[in-house]
Amino acid sequence: PDGRVGWMGHVCQPVFDAAGRFLGTRAGNRDITEHKQAEAALQQQLGFLQQVIDAIPAPIFFKDRSGKSTGCNKAYEDYIGLRREKIIGRTVFDIYSPEAAHLYHQKDQELFGRPGVQQYEAQNTGADGRLRHVVFHKATYANAHGDIAGLVGVVLDITERKQMEEK
């Protein structure tokens, strides 16, 4: 009546008599405009957060409690040479060499066993094929119930620093 455009949720169900004969339908409408606007705002916020994470120049990754990747940023994609679609849902054993995967998995399990923050140095081969010296900074995160749900990690490439130290 006021001329505004909105969303309506429509529910319709058939009505039958005691003998099972179809009599017609019963329907109801509900204004779901606020719900749809909230959904759109949430999607916009999620998109913004991914843009912010992608803008961070250090490789960042997220894993669930089972060790499967749940997300990453653009720098991580570039660092390992795989697109996000090839990373999400996979474990370190699907992505890295067996030696590196074993170490990363072991460190993840240690972190889940003692939640908090973890830091360690490692070597791996980047997407460019060169051996890299890196520092992993990882931390666990909790779900809404306070249970450990996964971990987030940042990879810092210290190859140049190591080379300078050797010289």
Side-chain angles (χ1 to χ4, degrees):
D2 63 3
R4 71 181 176 93
V5 176
W7 288 88
M8 296 298 288
H10 180 76
V11 177
C12 184
Q13 56 188 163
V15 177
F16 300 96
D17 65 13
R21 289 185 300 263
F22 177 73
L23 298 175
T25 58
R26 177 177 30 210
N29 293 320
R30 186 169 53 111
D31 186 347
I32 59 169
T33 302
E34 285 183 22
H35 177 77
K36 288 293 195 176
Q37 289 170 338
E39 277 182 357
L42 181 60
Q43 284 297 71
Q44 184 177 8
Q45 185 66 21
L46 289 173
F48 171 73
L49 289 174
Q50 186 63 53
Q51 287 177 326
V52 169
I53 291 168
D54 281 340
I56 298 170
I60 298 174
F61 58 90
F62 321 103
K63 297 178 188 177
D64 65 16
R65 187 72 196 246
S66 72
K68 290 183 180 176
S69 295
T70 56
C72 64
N73 69 349
K74 178 77 170 95
Y76 188 75
E77 288 180 282
D78 295 342
Y79 178 72
I80 66 171
L82 292 173
R83 294 293 128 226
R84 197 167 290 151
E85 300 78 36
K86 298 285 185 182
I87 297 168
I88 294 175
R90 294 189 168 74
T91 70
V92 290
F93 295 102
D94 301 318
I95 297 171
Y96 292 100
S97 71
E99 301 81 27
H102 179 72
L103 172 65
Y104 303 156
H105 177 73
Q106 177 186 0
K107 291 294 191 179
D108 290 352
Q109 294 310 304
E110 288 174 14
L111 183 57
F112 286 133
R114 298 186 71 196
V117 177
Q118 177 188 72
Q119 179 180 324
Y120 62 93
E121 285 188 32
Q123 293 181 350
N124 64 30
T125 304
D128 60 4
R130 295 177 26 210
L131 182 64
R132 296 288 191 194
H133 295 272
V134 296
V135 175
F136 284 94
H137 290 274
K138 298 179 184 178
T140 53
Y141 63 87
N143 62 19
H145 303 290
D147 301 319
I148 300 302
L151 64 82
V152 57
V154 178
V155 183
L156 299 176
D157 189 337
I158 60 168
T159 304
E160 289 181 21
R161 186 181 89 194
K162 285 286 196 181
Q163 290 170 343
M164 295 297 284
E165 289 173 359
E166 290 174 7
K167 288 181 182 179

